[in-house]
Amino acid sequence: MSYTVAALLGVAGAVLVDLYLLRTRLVRRRVFWATYPIIVFFQLISNGILTGRRIVRYDPDAIIGLRLVYAPVEDLLFGFALVLLTLSVWVWLGRRGVQRTPTAGTGGRRWWPPRDRGRPGD
């Protein structure tokens, strides 16, 4: 499987999870698309450094060859899938009141059992 195919499958999978599995529908929100360029900006900086200095190299036969700030466009696709999937899970968990540590007064559920230290409230 080429890097291009893997990147396209990653994007398709993340969009399907967002729209149909978790139903967070972030890709339909204006705020997602308004803030995504901030992420792309920093992704291009880091990709530019890593590929421009040849720390990361790509097999020319596995990519389509179109590059943006030294990095193949497939990296932008993988980055999109990663960000979308992470934010979708975060929103989904937040809607269910699941959090690592409860905040004062909210009574939110924790997603792992509390530690038993012998003190009340731990």
Side-chain angles (χ1 to χ4, degrees):
M1 176 184 320
S2 72
Y3 195 60
T4 306
V5 172
L8 291 171
L9 287 174
V11 168
V15 169
L16 289 173
V17 168
D18 175 55
L19 292 175
Y20 301 109
L21 183 64
L22 301 180
R23 296 186 176 151
T24 51
R25 295 178 177 84
L26 295 178
V27 294
R28 291 186 172 183
R29 295 184 186 184
R30 185 175 292 170
V31 69
F32 176 81
W33 294 108
T35 56
Y36 191 70
I38 298 167
I39 295 166
V40 171
F41 173 75
F42 287 103
Q43 183 181 0
L44 289 174
I45 290 174
S46 59
N47 279 350
I49 292 169
L50 292 173
T51 56
R53 293 177 177 252
R54 302 186 56 82
I55 296 168
V56 175
R57 289 183 255 172
Y58 298 92
D59 180 1
D61 296 330
I63 60 174
I64 59 175
L66 184 61
R67 291 180 177 259
L68 197 59
V69 192
Y70 297 106
V73 294
E74 289 89 346
D75 273 0
L76 292 174
L77 296 175
F78 271 123
F80 175 81
L82 174 71
V83 169
L84 177 60
L85 193 57
T86 301
L87 291 176
S88 295
V89 170
W90 183 341
V91 169
W92 183 80
L93 288 172
R95 287 179 180 170
R96 276 143 192 79
V98 177
Q99 53 195 21
R100 278 187 85 136
T101 56
T103 55
T106 63
R109 293 181 295 138
R110 294 172 73 164
W111 64 279
W112 82 82
R115 291 183 222 150
D116 183 18
R117 294 186 184 163
R119 292 179 282 169
D122 276 348

